[in-house]
Every structure is written in structure tokens, then in C-alpha cells.
Amino acid sequence: MKVETYIQSLFTPDDKEYGHITNKMIEIGMPTISVSPETGKLLTLLVKMSGAKKMLEIGALGGYSGICLLRGNEEGSLTSLELEEIYAKVAKKHIEEAGFNGRVEMKTGPALQSLKELEKENTEFDFFFIDADKENYVHYLDLCIKLSKPGSIITADNTLWSGEVLNEATTDKDTRALQAYNQKVAEDPRLESLLIPIGDGLTIARVK
Ligand SMILES: C[S@@+](CC[C@H](N)C(=O)[O-])C[C@H]1O[C@@H](n2cnc3c(N)ncnc32)[C@H](O)[C@@H]1O
């Protein structure tokens, strides 16, 4: 049995929302690239353990990771940034159907633009989840730090990229971007951080 299967069978045996959202996305031709249920559960636990209330995610897709974040705090709210209008509508519907009505605000368009708008509004967040275009991860990190406060948590998915990040000779743009992200998070003096090898890799950081 693979380690991943062992963890899933014990700790996330039946996430109904994951199954439901995946089926709906297949029906309407969306890519099924949500976080894995175990990564989703880690997000929920991190929100619970940190007591985060104001959360922001970059990359909504079908709404599954948004649901995992909102599961972490009964009083929490989520700002979700998504490039595609149609995905944002699907995500909002799924998040509301999961019982989180009125607790999510979708912002559509390129996330870099949305983040700059939030910066102008002087908004602060306690928890960030980065899961969109890999080439912008390092830029998202800088903007998330600007929108953070001491103790805020910044997480990012796919930071192992199926193990490809180990390939130092790679010329693949996404792999290079993820290597640069991990290096930046590891070395940034404003952060304390770690890469957790769960799902496709989740890099977590706490703002000092
Ligand atoms: C891996 S999926 C997100 C999965 C979602 N976080 C989940 O686990 O349920 C990546 C998403 O990022 C969105 N995206 C890609 N480029 C973007 C950009 N520049 N700004 C905002 N969203 C973007 C895609 O449309 C897609 O929905």
C-alpha cells in the first residue's frame, strides 16, 4: 500500500464534498485539479490551530479548498481570487451549498491585480492559500506578506510538483517557478517556514 493511500484511508476516508465537487467538475468539463483531501484537511487543521478568521485564497477552481479553509473556523470568512468568471461562479455555488452561505467573497480577474487592489484598501488577512499559476507564486508571496500581520500563515500547494523540484537541471518554467518559490520562502527573513510532503507538497510559512 502506498503511504498516500494509507494516510487517506485512515484520516480522510470519506470527504463527501470532495467527491461531489469532483463529479460536478467532470460533468461541466472543468479540470479536476483540486487539492487532495489530505492537503485539504491539513488546511482545515492549520486554520483551526492558528485561530485564523480572515482568509484569502488564490485559485478557487470548483471551491473545494475554499470549503476546507472555511471548515477551520465557524466565524471565518474567505476572499477567493479566481481568473475565470465561470469557475468563480461554480466555486461560490459549491461553497454555499456546503453550508458557508454569506462567508465567501469572490474576486474575478488576474490575482496580481486583485491583490494590488486589496493592498490599496489596507486589508489584512490571517491566512493565505496560494494555488494558481505557478509563475506568479513569488509575486503572490510578496503581496501576501504585504497583506499580512505578525502571526499570519501563508501556504502554497504543489510545491513538490510530483518531485520535479529536485531536478536542478530542469528548464520547465513551472518547475523553475516552484523551485524559486521554495527557495524564497525558506530564506526570507520575514518568515519561518517548512515544506510538508503531503499531497503534491504544501509549503507553509508564519509571518514573524
Ligand atoms: C489548481 S486550481 C485551484 C484549485 C483549488 N484551490 C482547489 O483546491 O479547490 C488553479 C486555479 O487558479 C486559477 N488561476 C490561474 N491563473 C490565475 C491568475 N492569474 N489569477 C487568478 N486565478 C488564476 C485557475 O483558473 C484555476 O481555477
Side-chain angles (χ1 to χ4, degrees):
M1 193 196 275
K2 282 187 0 187
V3 169
E4 197 182 5
T5 314
Y6 176 76
I7 295 173
Q8 274 177 4
S9 64
L10 263 183
F11 295 96
T12 57
D14 184 24
D15 188 336
K16 290 194 181 60
E17 257 113 25
Y18 181 79
H20 172 70
I21 289 172
T22 304
N23 289 337
K24 283 285 167 198
M25 291 198 300
I26 292 169
E27 253 176 49
I28 58 178
M30 282 172 70
T32 51
I33 48 172
S34 312
V35 287
S36 65
E38 62 273 25
T39 303
K41 184 146 182 200
L42 179 56
L43 291 174
T44 305
L45 287 171
L46 287 169
V47 171
K48 277 193 187 173
M49 291 187 291
S50 64
K53 247 179 154 175
K54 277 199 76 186
M55 298 171 271
L56 179 133
E57 76 172 348
I58 305 174
L61 190 70
Y64 177 65
S65 57
I67 289 170
C68 294
L69 293 168
L70 286 165
R71 282 174 179 164
N73 190 331
E74 279 176 19
E75 291 167 17
S77 64
L78 175 70
T79 300
S80 182
L81 314 184
E82 172 54 54
L83 181 65
E84 307 288 344
E85 194 102 29
I86 180 84
Y87 292 0
K89 280 198 181 132
V90 171
K92 189 165 197 280
K93 181 171 178 286
H94 286 152
I95 291 171
E96 291 182 348
E97 281 172 1
F100 302 109
N101 213 343
R103 288 169 54 190
V104 62
E105 186 192 357
M106 307 298 307
K107 285 191 183 289
T108 45
L112 279 181
Q113 198 179 304
S114 302
L115 288 165
K116 285 177 189 157
E117 282 162 18
L118 288 166
E119 193 191 347
K120 276 191 211 140
E121 293 164 17
N122 277 327
T123 319
E124 279 183 340
F125 293 91
D126 310 310
F127 199 100
F128 300 85
F129 176 51
I130 302 171
D131 189 21
D133 48 327
K134 309 309 167 202
E135 280 183 77
N136 275 317
Y137 266 37
V138 290
H139 306 302
Y140 294 149
L141 180 66
D142 276 326
L143 286 160
C144 288
I145 292 174
K146 286 188 181 159
L147 294 169
S148 74
K149 53 191 178 192
S152 292
I153 307 288
I154 302 175
T155 61
D157 194 36
N158 305 114
T159 51
L160 283 177
W161 211 226
S162 306
E164 276 303 302
V165 289
L166 303 182
N167 181 0
E168 285 176 13
T170 187
T171 53
D172 176 69
K173 277 193 300 189
D174 287 341
T175 311
R176 303 287 306 167
L178 289 161
Q179 289 169 331
Y181 181 83
N182 285 331
Q183 181 148 7
K184 186 169 166 62
V185 179
E187 292 172 356
D188 195 307
R190 298 168 292 182
L191 303 171
E192 299 169 87
S193 61
L194 193 65
L195 199 175
I196 301 183
I198 191 152
D200 195 24
L202 187 77
T203 299
I204 64 172
R206 180 184 180 278
V207 179
K208 287 184 190 164

